[in-house]
Amino acid sequence: MQEKSKTEEVFLFYRTKRDEHSIILQHLKRHIHNTGSLRLLLIAGMIITLWFCRGYGVPVLVTAAVAFFIPFLILVVYHTKLFAKRAYEEGIINLCENELKALNYDFSAFDGAADQTDSQHPFSLDLDIFGEKSLFQSINRTVTSIGKIRLADWLKKPLSNRQDILSRQQAVKELHSKTVFRHDFYVAGEKQQNSDRDVRQLNELSSQTTHFSESVRWRLLIWLIPAAWILAIAALIWTDVPFGLFFVLFILGLTVANIHAKRITKLHQTVDRMNRLLSVYARLMEQIEHENFDSGILKNRQQALVSNNLTASKAVKKLSAIIGGLDQRFNMAAIVFNLLYLRDMRHVMQLEKWIKAHSGHFNAWFDTLAEIDAFCSLGSFAFNHPDYIYPSIADHYFEMEGSALGHPLIHRDTCVRNRINIPVNRYFLIVTGANMAGKSTYLRTVGVNFLFSCTGMPVYAESLTVYPAHLITSLRTADSLVSNESYFFAELKRLKMIIDRLNNGEELFIILDEILKGTNSVDKQKGSIALVKQLIKKGACGIIATHDLMLGSLADIFPEHVRNKRFEADITNDELSFTFQLRDGIAQNMNATFLMKRMGIFEDE
């Protein structure tokens, strides 16, 4: 009941915020309409006034025009600000609507990073980390491509150092409470369309070398060419000069302006259309710079944006303006100005000077932006799940002990929660049970909460203590037609990888489902028992789910290192039911034959 009330508070928060901003939006829309109408009235008034004053001379006409035009310009600026406010209100309302859907397990408004899916990864495919209706989609609130990549990396490469995890927990807890900052950050960046191309462009930009800005010849030419035009025009006004002089200047300007056109175009292609992206990034950086942080990670990241009276936001905003100027180089006016004062070369030299001045800070600035963006997602996840707890992080291998573990993607009203207890290394839980009884869901529940713990996130449990070992799973090994690899061979490669990592001294937490599924039952049983013996011998720990009840005999061979757990299929009055509750011992009931009979697939002889 307490858990439900906490979640209801989150629902209420988003509904209230949505409704409040909807009222503000309606006021803004009326204000925008009225301001637009007033602008039209000013134009109409100016036209009428000029018509009636047409016989009073130029000074009167100019005075009348200015009297109307100045308030018109003021209204234009004011109108633009109103549109910006409207966009903000619409962004907040849209976010609240999407969060309300997410609280009901509809994450479709957010990116699931399907491109990050990797069947060779130690656990991401098995635990449904990426893709539609994935864990990443439920967590992801990033608004930059670099932030999305950083968040994906955190989930693919969880932390293994206890202090690093605790530090990240502190940052997540702080951002959990900073709803205004997180929502403003999201709205400021959400409209920007991001792609992997953005990351490539940023990397290419940071690696550019200076050429023109250090050339004495070009530093002289950008002043000599416009000076020659000024002198020629002055000479035309005050003296008689042949018109051919202007033709010579035209040819000279055209030649100088285009002598390095290919190199300028190549540089322009590197930064093409980045001005909008960088403008958004500058705004996001500015928000980070002005926020008050307490946790060590966030403060350190913030300090990376400010050094020696230089703020990253101002520098990036200037870069955006330079690139915006380059993007206009093919406009007719820009082409003319390029002939008159080498406009393209001036922008290229400004870009090179910027890179030279800021290349030492560039990677740190965007690394900070990516990290804060990813942290905002974790903070939002923590806020949206007030019933989740922060796990304790053990300092010895191995320990995982917790109660009431649930899976984050299963609806809170139907999720059956279970316990976990692996107290030491050289320890395995052997989980037996019938089909559909809950074994695979249990393995994923344990794996996901272990992953969240090592990522610094809150977990779906009443209590949990974990040691941050390296997680590795084998739950849905797939064959590969491309590499001509059978299912069985793919599974063997997975198991070989586990043994190799253990031989290299890695501390692993292993989760396996149905070892050696691709071979016959006798061979499977023999191989499975041999594998478990080897894993125990090498000091590993984990969970193995199986239909093979013979694996339960390992508890007799290794009473200190193996515990049997089960999920039962209860058959009462010819009805099949599941509790999905983990119990002690080896499973007693199997349901394949029962279900086949019920479906008419199998009949008694």
Side-chain angles (χ1 to χ4, degrees):
M1 185 63 69
Q2 184 182 4
E3 173 185 323
K4 195 164 186 178
S5 65
K6 285 182 179 179
T7 305
E8 282 300 323
E9 287 178 6
V10 180
F11 272 103
L12 181 61
F13 171 84
Y14 285 119
R15 290 192 193 107
T16 303
K17 189 164 188 173
R18 175 197 60 191
D19 295 344
E20 289 175 349
H21 285 271
S22 294
I23 293 171
I24 295 171
L25 178 60
Q26 293 306 314
H27 286 308
L28 273 172
K29 286 182 176 179
R30 285 196 295 270
H31 206 17
I32 288 170
H33 175 75
N34 293 337
T35 305
S37 299
L38 186 56
R39 286 169 58 188
L40 287 175
L41 286 174
L42 283 171
I43 293 293
M46 182 174 67
I47 293 171
I48 293 169
T49 301
L50 292 177
W51 172 259
F52 282 108
C53 294
R54 64 187 184 278
Y56 292 95
V58 174
V60 174
L61 292 174
V62 171
T63 302
V66 170
F68 281 94
F69 195 65
I70 289 176
F72 176 81
L73 287 179
I74 293 172
L75 284 177
V76 168
V77 174
Y78 182 58
H79 214 197
T80 302
K81 290 181 178 179
L82 288 177
F83 275 110
K85 289 180 179 179
R86 186 182 73 175
Y88 171 79
E89 298 301 331
E90 289 173 341
I92 289 291
I93 293 167
N94 185 57
L95 174 60
C96 290
E97 291 282 3
N98 290 334
E99 291 292 11
L100 286 168
K101 291 178 183 177
L103 288 172
N104 282 313
Y105 300 89
D106 176 3
F107 313 115
S108 56
F110 305 106
D111 187 354
D115 57 301
Q116 295 288 332
T117 303
D118 179 8
S119 62
Q120 302 304 311
H121 188 267
F123 56 80
S124 66
L125 182 65
D126 289 338
L127 299 184
D128 303 305
I129 305 298
F130 302 108
E132 290 300 308
K133 300 180 181 179
S134 65
L135 290 165
F136 186 87
Q137 192 176 34
S138 72
I139 298 166
N140 180 31
R141 301 296 183 272
T142 59
V143 292
T144 67
S145 53
I146 53 179
K148 187 182 85 169
I149 291 171
R150 179 60 53 88
L151 181 60
D153 284 345
W154 283 357
L155 290 172
K156 289 193 294 185
K157 302 171 186 175
L159 298 169
S160 57
N161 180 277
R162 180 176 182 272
Q163 191 53 53
D164 290 343
I165 294 172
L166 294 177
S167 296
R168 189 179 285 175
Q169 282 184 2
Q170 290 301 314
V172 175
K173 289 176 183 177
E174 181 173 358
L175 282 171
H176 168 191
S177 63
K178 289 183 176 294
T179 54
V180 174
F181 171 76
R182 286 189 287 102
H183 291 175
D184 287 354
F185 190 90
Y186 183 88
V187 172
E190 187 265 338
K191 294 295 183 184
Q192 174 62 40
Q193 295 296 319
N194 293 285
S195 67
D196 292 339
R197 176 177 176 267
D198 300 336
V199 180
R200 291 195 301 271
Q201 282 187 299
L202 289 173
N203 290 333
E204 289 173 9
L205 178 60
S206 64
S207 62
Q208 288 294 320
T209 57
T210 57
H211 175 75
F212 298 110
S213 61
E214 295 180 352
S215 167
V216 175
R217 178 182 62 184
W218 282 107
R219 284 190 300 203
L220 288 172
L221 282 172
I222 62 172
W223 295 108
L224 289 176
I225 294 296
W229 279 105
I230 292 171
L231 290 174
I233 293 170
L236 180 64
I237 294 172
W238 300 107
T239 63
D240 259 340
V241 294
F243 186 75
L245 175 64
F246 289 92
F247 180 75
V248 171
L249 275 179
F250 174 80
I251 297 299
L252 178 63
L254 185 67
T255 302
V256 174
N258 290 283
I259 194 170
H260 287 299
K262 287 185 178 180
R263 183 174 289 182
I264 293 172
T265 299
K266 185 177 180 180
L267 178 61
H268 178 215
Q269 288 172 346
T270 302
V271 297
D272 185 29
R273 304 189 188 283
M274 283 184 67
N275 63 309
R276 168 65 180 161
L277 173 73
L278 291 171
S279 176
V280 172
Y281 281 9
R283 190 157 62 248
L284 296 174
M285 289 177 181
E286 188 174 19
Q287 291 183 350
I288 298 169
E289 291 163 359
H290 289 95
E291 188 61 31
N292 292 319
F293 294 117
D294 295 320
S295 73
I297 293 178
L298 299 179
K299 287 175 72 173
N300 288 338
R301 284 303 184 181
Q302 184 184 49
Q303 288 168 4
L305 299 181
V306 183
S307 60
N308 298 325
N309 297 321
L310 170 70
T311 62
S313 61
K314 288 182 180 179
V316 174
K317 196 176 294 183
K318 182 178 180 181
L319 175 62
S320 173
I322 294 170
I323 293 173
L326 266 179
D327 286 342
Q328 303 300 317
R329 61 191 292 249
F330 295 119
N331 288 351
M332 184 57 66
I335 292 172
V336 173
F337 285 129
N338 199 33
L339 296 175
L340 296 177
Y341 73 104
L342 304 184
R343 179 184 181 277
D344 285 359
M345 184 57 68
R346 286 175 179 271
H347 278 92
V348 167
M349 293 174 73
Q350 286 176 358
L351 179 60
E352 288 187 348
K353 287 177 182 178
W354 191 97
I355 293 171
K356 184 177 180 180
H358 304 299
S359 59
H361 307 286
F362 193 83
N363 289 335
W365 289 344
F366 288 96
D367 190 64
T368 292
L369 178 59
E371 188 139 320
I372 298 298
D373 195 12
F375 264 124
C376 283
S377 286
L378 300 192
S380 294
F381 183 83
F383 179 85
N384 290 343
H385 298 86
D387 50 310
Y388 286 23
I389 57 101
Y390 288 89
S392 299
I393 308 300
D395 55 7
H396 62 277
Y397 179 77
F398 181 80
E399 181 180 357
M400 186 171 185
E401 193 279 326
S403 62
L405 271 68
H407 197 292
L409 297 183
I410 299 177
H411 198 288
R412 66 186 71 84
D413 293 338
T414 58
C415 183
V416 178
R417 299 164 68 173
N418 281 291
R419 65 189 185 278
I420 179 71
N421 185 23
I422 302 177
V424 293
N425 62 334
R426 295 165 57 85
Y427 197 101
F428 274 86
L429 298 181
I430 304 295
V431 181
T432 53
N435 294 302
M436 303 184 299
K439 300 190 306 298
S440 296
T441 299
Y442 178 71
L443 297 187
R444 289 185 173 86
T445 297
V446 172
V448 167
N449 283 286
F450 181 87
L451 171 63
F452 281 10
S453 299
C454 298
T455 310
M457 296 170 60
V459 297
Y460 194 9
E462 286 184 0
S463 66
L464 184 62
T465 299
V466 302
Y467 175 83
H470 297 287
L471 176 63
I472 187 165
T473 65
S474 182
L475 307 182
R476 53 159 69 106
T477 308
D479 55 6
S480 174
L481 296 176
V482 175
S483 58
N484 194 29
E485 187 175 272
S486 71
Y487 177 94
F488 182 61
F489 186 67
E491 187 180 12
L492 288 180
K493 283 176 62 179
R494 192 79 162 185
L495 297 177
K496 175 68 163 56
M497 183 252 289
I498 293 173
I499 297 301
D500 288 345
R501 291 179 65 173
L502 288 171
N503 288 337
N504 288 334
E506 288 191 56
E507 297 174 331
L508 302 183
F509 178 47
I510 302 165
I511 301 178
L512 307 176
D513 191 6
E514 287 300 335
I515 308 171
L516 305 176
K517 292 184 283 289
T519 187
N520 66 72
S521 57
V522 175
D523 201 27
K524 170 186 171 182
Q525 187 178 100
K526 184 177 178 181
S528 298
I529 291 174
L531 176 66
V532 175
K533 286 181 178 180
Q534 188 175 10
L535 293 176
I536 292 172
K537 181 180 178 182
K538 292 182 180 298
C541 56
I543 311 174
I544 298 173
T546 181
H547 291 100
D548 191 347
L549 304 184
M550 282 300 297
L551 261 66
S553 64
L554 286 166
D556 299 326
I557 304 172
F558 301 103
E560 300 298 320
H561 305 293
V562 174
R563 286 289 180 275
N564 286 313
K565 299 292 180 180
R566 62 191 168 107
F567 286 95
E568 288 291 4
D570 298 319
I571 303 174
T572 307
N573 298 325
D574 204 34
E575 291 294 331
L576 182 68
S577 63
F578 302 99
T579 64
F580 305 112
Q581 289 288 351
L582 188 68
R583 309 177 192 177
D584 294 327
I586 301 174
Q588 302 299 309
N589 299 321
M590 293 295 167
N591 61 6
T593 305
F594 175 84
L595 288 172
M596 291 175 72
K597 288 180 180 179
R598 290 290 297 269
M599 297 176 69
I601 301 172
F602 170 81
E603 295 181 1
D604 290 325
E605 295 180 0

